[in-house]
Amino acid sequence: MITLLKQSESFKNRIAIVSKGKSFSYGQLLKTSKAVAANLLRETTDLNEARVTFLIPPSFEYTAVQWGIWAAGGIAVPLCILHPLPSIQYVLEDTQARIVIADAAYYDFLKPLEDHMGISVITLESILKETIVPLPDIDSSRRAMILYTSGTTSKPKGVVTTHATIEAQITTLVNAWEWRKEDHILNILPLHHVHGIINVLSCALWSGACCEFLPKFDADKVWATIASERLTLFMAVPTIYYKLISFWEELPATTQEVYSRAASQLRLMVSGSAALPVPVLEKWKEITGQTLLERYGMTEIGMGLSNSYRGERRPGHVGLPLPGVEMRLVDSANRPVPENTPGEYQIKGLSVFKEYWQKPEATKKAFTEDGWFITGDIGMLSDGLYKILGRDSVDIIKSGGYKISALEIEDVLRKHDMVADCAVVGLPDEEWGEVVSVCLIPKSKELDVEEVSSWLKTQLPAYKIPRKYMLSAELPRNVLGKVTKNELKKRWPAIAP
Ligand code: MLC
Ligand code: AMP
């Protein structure tokens, strides 16, 4: 049995999960995940790394299915509940999954794919049915999960981690942030990315702690949960702290006082997935007394750098390498750079991913010859702590903590009848970090931005839809004909639809 599941045997009577108002013990979680595994193993004794996709909102059932796939020897591929059908279909095709386990709410949505792709849509109800079979032994070097991440290519790539990788990603955080079984964390993050899956859910379950779910972020409900004083930990992206501050500012003074006092009781509040603006850190400290711990991570590496749990948390910095993480900052010839000099982060360690799913060329390109993973993030060592300065590619946008490829959106937009060409950029934004923005070159004078935007929503999830539009007769280009996106950003007049 894999370690995460095996060690939960010793917490059997503790509460593992609070979901939809109900509490579930580790004993129930183990029993239900073994039933999922048994149902998956009806025709075989080991899934042998078959990809099993699942479309289930954050919940007890999500967790039992993820553990069940692992216990049966499969590769867990969580699907995003916000994705329209074409994005889901892409992941199903790319992983060559034969089945998708679906919450009842998504059954009709996925049904067309059964006929179209020959994939089996399995209901949660049937996969949770009680049954027992002997479970296979799973070596920790086997592939465990594929998470899709956008990069400098148009389509997202599947990041493959093994059980050993996941264990390394969990244990470095459990040690650095001193997780314990008495901890209680609220998860409001999507569960198809490492932040929610590893930092919140898996660290809690590794430690014998409790993970409580809200199905999606809701500032009112988050503050009410903080006010209940049952949480010891909270982790979120900067946009969420921004939204919590905005909500708090509108409250009556007496409620503000109650909420602020309750928030000051948590032992740790963490921010990551995007740069934490110093004014947000300062405002959060002013209203809660908490200095947010900022850390840096990536789907391919788990978490790499972190400010200190017990020592200094310096605003605008991401701290030092986590235990077990080797990190270097290099110039374009892979030579280490001195302090106060910008360089690119490269990472080594057990928490680094195995490969991009069935993309050997992309995997090879992602590592130096001596095995360092090339992050594409630029940073600097400044007075003993690291900071992030940006990315080496303008084609990667971070909005609300989601990584978005400008190229993917451009490729979809170019399929629209009214669009001759386009260029997508991320414009700085206080709330979202960056907002997706597009300059469209119309095919004819009649380009209707509203229509293009509505059509795009059928193709891409809401967080990838441009919020700012500009129409132009041409795009700025360099002598080689390449669009100069930094130049385009400067031209922006901001005409929203
Ligand atoms: C949504 N909206 C946006 C938007 N996303 N507007 C601009 N930019 C965006 N990116 C709009 C919607 O269209 C809607 O508009 C309104 O905001 C509310 O939408 P919503 O879907 O209800 O938003 P909300 O739930 O408030 O979402 C905000 C959020 C979400 C911050 C909770 O973006 C989120 O869950 N982000 C976390 C992503 C994450 O987990 N990243 C980690 C990746 S791993 P209208 O007009 O319809 O009201 C990683 C590694 C690491 O990065 O280091 O951790
Ligand atoms: P993802 O591919 O979604 O896992 O996103 C990873 C990217 O998020 C990193 O490569 C960074 O660009 C960014 N990121 C994560 N944490 C931070 C942080 N604390 N500050 C700035 N950028 C961050």
Side-chain angles (χ1 to χ4, degrees), residues 346-366:
Q346 296 189 344
I347 307 270
K348 254 189 198 178
L350 296 175
S351 63
V352 175
F353 77 125
K354 181 181 173 71
E355 64 195 354
Y356 292 115
W357 176 249
Q358 294 194 333
K359 291 198 168 40
E361 275 309 307
T363 307
K364 194 161 168 248
K365 253 179 80 183

Side-chain angles (χ1 to χ4, degrees), residues 78-258:
L79 299 169
C80 173
I81 55 173
L82 303 172
H83 277 182
L85 216 48
S87 310
I88 299 269
Q89 187 172 339
Y90 170 72
V91 174
L92 300 182
E93 279 167 359
D94 195 59
T95 54
Q96 299 134 336
R98 308 266 309 276
I99 59 172
V100 48
I101 303 170
D103 184 278
Y106 302 103
Y107 199 62
D108 288 344
F109 166 71
L110 291 170
K111 249 332 205 173
L113 297 180
E114 265 195 334
D115 307 328
H116 182 57
M117 296 179 62
I119 195 153
S120 303
V121 182
I122 298 180
T123 58
L124 248 185
E125 207 186 8
S126 65
I127 208 78
L128 297 176
K129 237 182 238 151
E130 236 180 87
T131 160
I132 298 177
V133 298
L135 296 175
D137 262 344
I138 314 290
D139 189 85
S140 69
S141 64
R142 277 173 55 168
R143 293 173 182 81
M145 187 155 68
I146 303 180
L147 300 179
Y148 277 79
T149 186
S150 294
T152 44
T153 50
S154 164
K155 292 284 190 193
K157 296 193 285 279
V159 174
V160 179
T161 43
T162 64
H163 291 286
T165 325
I166 292 174
E167 196 171 316
Q169 293 182 351
I170 297 171
T171 50
T172 189
L173 295 183
V174 167
N175 293 332
W177 299 342
E178 302 186 16
W179 275 88
R180 42 190 180 247
K181 62 180 187 310
E182 293 76 20
D183 277 322
H184 188 127
I185 193 162
L186 181 68
N187 181 73
I188 31 87
L189 293 167
L191 286 187
H192 63 290
H193 282 308
V194 285
H195 197 162
I197 298 173
I198 300 292
N199 300 25
V200 180
L201 178 60
S202 304
C203 282
L205 298 179
W206 183 274
S207 310
C210 174
C211 181
E212 177 169 345
F213 287 112
L214 276 184
K216 88 180 275 300
F217 171 69
D218 175 330
D220 194 0
K221 289 189 180 140
V222 171
W223 272 119
T225 313
I226 291 174
S228 73
E229 297 196 8
R230 56 182 182 269
L231 302 182
T232 61
L233 290 163
F234 185 74
M235 295 177 197
V237 299
T239 303
I240 287 181
Y241 288 107
Y242 182 97
K243 284 173 179 281
L244 290 174
I245 291 168
S246 305
F247 187 88
W248 181 94
E249 282 175 333
E250 298 300 316
L251 293 169
T254 45
T255 317
Q256 283 182 341
E257 214 179 292
V258 173

Side-chain angles (χ1 to χ4, degrees), residues 198-417:
I198 300 292
N199 300 25
V200 180
L201 178 60
S202 304
C203 282
L205 298 179
W206 183 274
S207 310
C210 174
C211 181
E212 177 169 345
F213 287 112
L214 276 184
K216 88 180 275 300
F217 171 69
D218 175 330
D220 194 0
K221 289 189 180 140
V222 171
W223 272 119
T225 313
I226 291 174
S228 73
E229 297 196 8
R230 56 182 182 269
L231 302 182
T232 61
L233 290 163
F234 185 74
M235 295 177 197
V237 299
T239 303
I240 287 181
Y241 288 107
Y242 182 97
K243 284 173 179 281
L244 290 174
I245 291 168
S246 305
F247 187 88
W248 181 94
E249 282 175 333
E250 298 300 316
L251 293 169
T254 45
T255 317
Q256 283 182 341
E257 214 179 292
V258 173
Y259 282 9
S260 293
R261 203 176 39 244
S264 73
Q265 304 300 312
L266 273 75
R267 76 168 179 87
L268 177 64
M269 298 185 114
V270 179
S271 173
S273 302
L276 175 64
V278 174
V280 174
L281 176 140
E282 283 169 352
K283 185 70 191 176
W284 191 254
K285 180 157 186 174
E286 186 190 314
I287 70 176
T288 66
Q290 295 271 356
T291 304
L292 290 172
L293 182 156
E294 186 173 5
R295 58 49 177 189
Y296 158 83
M298 196 172 178
T299 307
E300 287 89 336
I301 63 163
M303 297 302 114
L305 298 159
S306 170
N307 272 289
S308 167
Y309 175 56
R310 292 199 176 262
E312 185 187 7
R313 297 180 195 168
R314 196 186 302 162
H317 290 68
V318 287
L320 293 169
L322 282 156
V325 175
E326 257 189 280
M327 198 277 301
R328 67 178 194 180
L329 265 178
V330 296
D331 63 16
S332 54
N334 286 333
R335 285 174 309 222
V337 295
E339 194 163 349
N340 292 317
T341 308
E344 185 183 34
Y345 288 106
Q346 296 189 344
I347 307 270
K348 254 189 198 178
L350 296 175
S351 63
V352 175
F353 77 125
K354 181 181 173 71
E355 64 195 354
Y356 292 115
W357 176 249
Q358 294 194 333
K359 291 198 168 40
E361 275 309 307
T363 307
K364 194 161 168 248
K365 253 179 80 183
F367 290 88
T368 63
E369 272 174 15
D370 49 350
W372 291 89
F373 171 66
I374 303 164
T375 64
D377 288 308
I378 310 296
M380 186 167 87
L381 180 64
S382 153
D383 201 10
L385 293 181
Y386 289 96
K387 57 198 296 182
I388 308 287
L389 299 171
R391 288 195 60 87
D392 68 353
S393 167
V394 278
D395 289 321
I396 291 179
I397 301 168
K398 264 268 161 168
S399 187
Y402 282 110
K403 195 199 244 181
I404 297 164
S405 162
L407 306 179
E408 181 185 6
I409 302 168
E410 288 165 7
D411 276 356
V412 178
L413 274 168
R414 286 193 196 103
K415 292 188 185 131
H416 194 282
D417 287 348

Side-chain angles (χ1 to χ4, degrees), residues 10-136:
S10 57
F11 307 125
K12 269 191 166 156
N13 296 320
R14 295 191 61 80
I15 299 298
I17 285 169
V18 177
S19 161
K20 298 176 208 152
K22 281 197 217 146
S23 298
F24 299 88
S25 68
Y26 278 87
Q28 283 170 293
L29 177 58
L30 265 176
K31 190 170 162 208
T32 314
S33 51
K34 284 179 185 170
V36 171
N39 284 308
L40 287 170
L41 288 171
R42 279 185 192 281
E43 281 148 34
T44 174
T45 53
D46 186 333
L47 291 183
N48 279 317
E49 299 191 352
R51 279 74 59 210
V52 182
T53 59
F54 54 112
L55 188 58
I56 307 172
S59 58
F60 170 73
E61 291 78 9
Y62 171 103
T63 317
V65 166
Q66 183 194 52
W67 280 26
I69 296 167
W70 286 342
I75 302 181
V77 188
L79 299 169
C80 173
I81 55 173
L82 303 172
H83 277 182
L85 216 48
S87 310
I88 299 269
Q89 187 172 339
Y90 170 72
V91 174
L92 300 182
E93 279 167 359
D94 195 59
T95 54
Q96 299 134 336
R98 308 266 309 276
I99 59 172
V100 48
I101 303 170
D103 184 278
Y106 302 103
Y107 199 62
D108 288 344
F109 166 71
L110 291 170
K111 249 332 205 173
L113 297 180
E114 265 195 334
D115 307 328
H116 182 57
M117 296 179 62
I119 195 153
S120 303
V121 182
I122 298 180
T123 58
L124 248 185
E125 207 186 8
S126 65
I127 208 78
L128 297 176
K129 237 182 238 151
E130 236 180 87
T131 160
I132 298 177
V133 298
L135 296 175

